[in-house]
Amino acid sequence: MTDRPGRPDRPEADDSDRFGPSTDGGERTDEPAVSRTHEGGPAGSEPDVLSGRSRRLVSLIGRYRVPIGLIVLVLFLRPLVSQPWALGFGRIAATMLIWMLFVASFNLLFGFTGLLSFGHAMFFGFGTYGVAIAVSRFSLPFVAGAVVGITFASAFGYLLGRLIVNKGEIYFAMLTLAVAQAVYFVANRNPYELTGGSNGITGTVPPWIETYRGETTVVLGGLSVDWYWAVAAVFLICALGLWQVLRSPFGRSLIAIRENEALARAMGVDTERYKIASFTMSGALAAVAGALLAISDQGAALETLGVLTSGDAVLMAVLGGVNYFFGPLAGVFVWLFAEDYLTDFEVLYFPLREFVLVSVDLSGVLEYWRFLLGGLFVVIVLLSPKDGVWGFLRGLVTRVARVGERLGGGSRER
Amino acid sequence: MSADDAPGGDGNDEAFEGDDTDGNRSGDANADDRDALLRVSRLEAGYETGQVLFGVDLAISRGELVSLLGRNGAGKSTTFRAIMGAAVPRVFGGEIDFAGTSLLGRRPDEIARSGLGFVPEDRRCFPRLTVAENVRLAINHAANPLSLDAVLSLFPELANMRGKEARNTSGGEQQMLAIARALATNPEMMLLDEPFEGLAPYVVRRIEDIVREINNERNITVLFVEQNAVAAMAVADRHYVLDEGRIVETVSTERLREDADLRQRYLGV
């Protein structure tokens, strides 16, 4: 996603609240481990000044902060990135949601089970190629391709998981990488003229998709909906499902395995079965994201299966913060935003374009945006490897809340 | 932490009696040594770096409260790990029988579900799970568990911090949580690895009370590892002394208390 249609020039804006709206409302969202049982959080000091009714409301918001945060994210993501001072480019919002789903599925395995997969792109690719092959090669409906792709990814994940899930961390990472590379090379060889080799598959446009001037619309039985909202609906369903899974006893067992596998086993957890289940579920969710990508990109690209895609998933999750439900989502947002932002602008004006005092020509330097993002990544990992951007923001909110609490407490005493 | 001012033995006794899941356990504490609940014979085990156990023999009857004493490196924790079926150490020879069936070659989670509750050393909990979730995890994976409320009613200190993450609790609370978690599986026997290590004296007394209660009121057979003979004598009725991978003595508390020479030789006290 390096060349995008032209966008209006954007003045240099204050970075600090750039992803305010996407995280807004999510300020109280945190990892599910804490969400259900949080008692003494920042909200804890409020109830004594509130009536019983609003206290119940506060606790309700606290309990359902993840769904609320997800809805806020879906509602505000597109308007935000469409702003001229942001990216001025609404179409990227659908891509962002798809990647968020993909990286969240990866993080189910990495952040919540403690298994590092370096080959998650294959599951993403199974979904993409499933849909692209079904629609473009066999003129089958999208749903058939998606079902085949997701089923294949689940079965593949289950069987592969049975083989490698107990081989130890390093070997698990290496084996997933090796298998993903094998899948990549098979797709590259274009077996039975199905995958299209290095050209991939193009022109995957089901009859219910209409594109006009780059805007993709879903037209179904007289109803016409923007593609973004179709993606958003699938994203919401999957993310809420993931949230439910994580707060269920099943998810708690996964977290126990992440925290201390030997101890979990000594407590009677059949860790192998749980890890296989997590791997399978994670693969299936990645394939769902992949199926959406096939429509968004109108085809399947070989790079989707490549090792860079797998690597990006790892980096995005770590950048965002693997211990949090919203961590990978924040990571995807920062990553894609930075990618798009940094590759685009060339001249930096201080303080503003209208009142220039100094201007710095950055063309050339920012060709190395991945390098800059890499630098940001290193800083974040060095500061706090598991917290990432999301953990940093949460820490900030907690600190601000504590200061506010102290101020509020002082005024109440008076 | 408020462990010491919590309701004492009486309150807990009521909680114990109020729980009827207790009824299915046979209460004969004086079972014959030949049909021991846990029998370890000629156990040899070790790590890649070398053999640690050179023939450990244990026979613990239903209802007993026994300690496994020994210096650092004598092989106490290795014995426990072998019983619980951990991936390391490797078992070279011998037998481990629990309730009449062999434990060798079985997976740790199967062993845990067969009625052996394990309290790991260093009071290990799942730090990012809450107190309630730690216990619930054990409940969800046990064959015949107690209810969460029944377990927490035995630990008033824990009952009002259900929603607290385990990493934010004190050492004594973590030890109680580790014990509660093992107790929740409603085990026939509990193994505790250095349960008094690194705790403040008044917390140690509370944990001692808990261990005795578990044994007396619930009729759960208890085997615990300890370095400190004084702490072991305060709790257990019988003691195995382990030295350099072998059981060198089996003594009653009275013998151990009188025999300063024995303590000096094997325990360095």
Side-chain angles (χ1 to χ4, degrees):
Chain A
M1 44 193 69
T2 35
D3 39 19
R4 289 261 156 66
R7 248 149 290 173
D9 289 334
R10 48 175 87 85
E12 174 59 11
D14 178 18
D15 275 42
S16 60
D17 61 351
R18 178 149 298 140
F19 48 114
S22 87
T23 59
D24 161 33
E27 65 182 32
R28 287 208 209 83
T29 55
D30 59 357
E31 53 169 337
V34 202
S35 60
R36 279 181 306 146
T37 41
H38 209 254
E39 276 161 14
S45 68
E46 286 167 41
D48 54 339
V49 289
L50 299 170
S51 69
R53 201 168 180 189
S54 47
R55 195 181 311 160
R56 235 170 296 136
L57 191 70
V58 166
S59 83
L60 210 65
I61 291 173
R63 177 156 353 138
Y64 293 103
R65 55 193 142 192
V66 168
I68 293 168
L70 285 171
I71 290 166
V72 169
L73 166 70
V74 160
L75 287 181
F76 287 93
L77 182 63
R78 194 160 71 149
L80 172 73
V81 294
S82 308
Q83 292 301 317
W85 50 262
L87 297 178
F89 181 49
R91 271 189 64 201
I92 198 178
T95 310
M96 275 184 173
L97 283 187
I98 291 170
W99 270 85
M100 283 175 182
L101 185 56
F102 172 47
V103 179
S105 81
F106 164 79
N107 201 47
L108 167 67
L109 198 60
F110 182 44
F112 290 99
T113 320
L115 285 171
L116 173 54
S117 157
F118 261 121
H120 228 57
M122 61 184 158
F123 298 113
F124 201 31
F126 289 154
T128 313
Y129 273 89
V131 168
I133 290 172
V135 174
S136 295
R137 298 277 189 264
F138 300 109
S139 307
L140 289 168
F142 163 81
V143 174
V147 167
V148 169
I150 295 162
T151 312
F152 185 78
S154 315
F156 198 85
Y158 175 75
L159 294 174
L160 184 62
R162 285 194 64 146
L163 281 177
I164 68 173
V165 101
N166 263 359
K167 295 285 180 249
E169 270 172 57
I170 302 285
Y171 297 100
F172 181 82
M174 292 300 119
L175 286 166
T176 47
L177 177 62
V179 173
Q181 285 298 85
V183 170
Y184 175 86
F185 285 118
V186 168
N188 196 13
R189 291 300 298 270
N190 194 8
Y192 307 106
E193 309 284 313
L194 280 178
T195 60
S198 57
N199 296 325
I201 301 166
T202 49
T204 304
V205 186
W208 43 270
I209 285 286
E210 277 179 12
T211 45
Y212 177 70
R213 286 191 176 182
E215 295 295 327
T216 311
T217 319
V218 178
V219 184
L220 263 181
L223 225 81
S224 127
V225 184
D226 196 285
W227 171 239
Y228 175 81
W229 294 113
V231 172
V234 177
F235 170 82
L236 262 186
I237 291 166
C238 291
L240 287 175
L242 187 61
W243 173 63
Q244 277 297 338
V245 165
L246 284 174
R247 56 189 221 133
S248 71
F250 175 82
R252 303 287 98 183
S253 304
L254 293 185
I255 291 174
I257 291 171
R258 175 195 74 189
E259 306 265 279
N260 190 337
E261 190 178 341
L263 181 58
R265 212 177 289 146
M267 294 300 120
V269 183
D270 186 348
T271 53
E272 185 178 2
R273 209 169 57 108
Y274 276 81
K275 287 195 285 187
I276 294 171
S278 169
F279 195 48
T280 309
M281 200 179 291
S282 170
L285 265 184
V288 173
L292 294 174
L293 188 72
I295 304 298
S296 243
D297 287 358
Q298 307 201 338
L302 187 62
E303 294 87 69
T304 307
L305 283 170
V307 67
L308 266 181
T309 308
S310 300
D312 282 355
V314 180
L315 295 180
M316 287 173 181
V318 174
L319 182 71
V322 296
N323 269 346
Y324 304 99
F325 185 87
F326 281 97
L329 312 189
V332 170
F333 183 86
V334 172
W335 182 284
L336 292 183
F337 198 100
E339 176 178 45
D340 214 69
Y341 201 84
L342 291 175
T343 44
D344 188 67
F345 81 141
E346 289 176 347
V347 186
L348 213 51
Y349 304 98
F350 292 110
L352 284 172
R353 164 159 272 183
E354 297 88 75
F355 319 97
V356 183
L357 293 177
V358 187
S359 68
V360 186
D361 187 0
L362 288 170
S363 59
V365 178
L366 288 170
E367 306 233 319
Y368 302 101
W369 69 271
R370 245 175 206 277
F371 178 80
L372 293 174
L373 208 54
L376 175 66
F377 182 83
V378 168
V379 168
I380 281 176
V381 170
L382 285 181
L383 284 178
S384 173
K386 290 192 168 168
D387 278 354
V389 170
W390 190 254
F392 173 75
L393 286 175
R394 280 191 38 156
L396 216 62
V397 168
T398 316
R399 243 168 287 151
V400 168
R402 206 173 297 149
V403 170
E405 204 173 293
R406 207 171 300 149
L407 292 178
S411 64
R412 223 174 297 148
E413 275 162 33
R414 257 180 270 134
Chain B
M1 73 147 254
S2 61
D4 52 336
D5 55 37
D10 288 353
N12 290 331
D13 291 352
E14 280 166 27
F16 275 119
E17 282 154 16
D19 194 335
D20 53 13
T21 47
D22 206 358
N24 56 11
R25 204 188 323 281
S26 79
D28 64 337
N30 302 316
D32 193 331
D33 192 67
R34 271 165 300 179
D35 51 44
L37 180 60
L38 177 74
R39 179 189 295 282
V40 176
S41 28
R42 302 180 310 283
L43 179 66
E44 296 184 34
Y47 304 93
E48 278 183 10
T49 48
Q51 193 166 348
V52 176
L53 304 182
F54 299 88
V56 170
D57 293 286
L58 303 171
I60 293 149
S61 308
R62 278 176 207 278
E64 276 198 293
L65 175 45
V66 183
S67 86
L68 181 58
L69 279 166
R71 283 204 193 93
N72 237 343
K76 305 180 302 283
S77 291
T78 306
T79 308
F80 263 28
R81 275 185 220 131
I83 294 171
M84 290 309 295
V88 283
R90 255 188 58 213
V91 174
F92 304 128
E95 249 315 312
I96 303 172
D97 287 307
F98 176 68
T101 52
S102 174
L103 296 185
L104 284 184
R106 295 177 71 190
R107 291 202 317 262
D109 51 293
E110 290 174 344
I111 294 175
R113 280 195 297 266
S114 74
L116 262 179
F118 181 55
V119 179
E121 62 184 328
D122 305 332
R123 347 173 241 290
R124 266 178 214 137
C125 298
F126 300 105
R128 276 176 178 266
L129 294 185
T130 64
V131 168
E133 285 168 350
N134 263 281
V135 178
R136 220 180 276 127
L137 182 87
I139 291 173
N140 286 334
H141 294 279
N144 182 26
L146 304 179
S147 75
L148 180 66
D149 290 324
V151 177
L152 290 185
S153 68
L154 312 178
F155 299 91
E157 300 92 335
L158 297 179
N160 43 30
M161 52 172 69
R162 294 173 176 228
K164 206 169 175 182
E165 281 186 42
R167 58 180 173 157
N168 296 330
T169 58
S170 74
E173 288 156 0
Q174 284 174 12
Q175 184 61 280
M176 276 181 241
L177 176 55
I179 294 174
R181 197 177 49 191
L183 201 57
T185 64
N186 197 11
E188 270 190 278
M189 178 167 185
M190 276 173 66
L191 303 179
L192 298 91
D193 199 346
E194 307 221 3
F196 313 116
E197 185 70 18
L199 297 174
Y202 68 94
V203 185
V204 169
R205 281 197 295 280
R206 171 78 178 119
I207 303 288
E208 286 173 356
D209 287 344
I210 290 173
V211 172
R212 272 193 298 262
E213 272 172 34
I214 287 170
N215 182 248
N216 285 336
E217 315 289 331
R218 303 232 104 190
N219 273 319
I220 294 175
T221 314
V222 175
L223 173 65
F224 69 93
V225 153
E226 187 52 64
Q227 279 189 53
N228 181 350
V230 179
M233 286 188 294
V235 180
D237 314 317
R238 195 157 71 86
H239 312 270
Y240 284 101
V241 181
L242 189 66
D243 191 52
E244 295 183 343
R246 288 184 185 82
I247 298 288
V248 289
E249 289 282 355
T250 314
V251 291
S252 66
T253 298
E254 293 78 45
R255 254 289 309 281
L256 189 61
R257 192 169 288 132
E258 289 156 11
D259 197 342
D261 183 47
L262 175 77
R263 298 205 305 266
Q264 180 63 43
R265 206 163 355 125
Y266 296 117
L267 307 168
V269 282

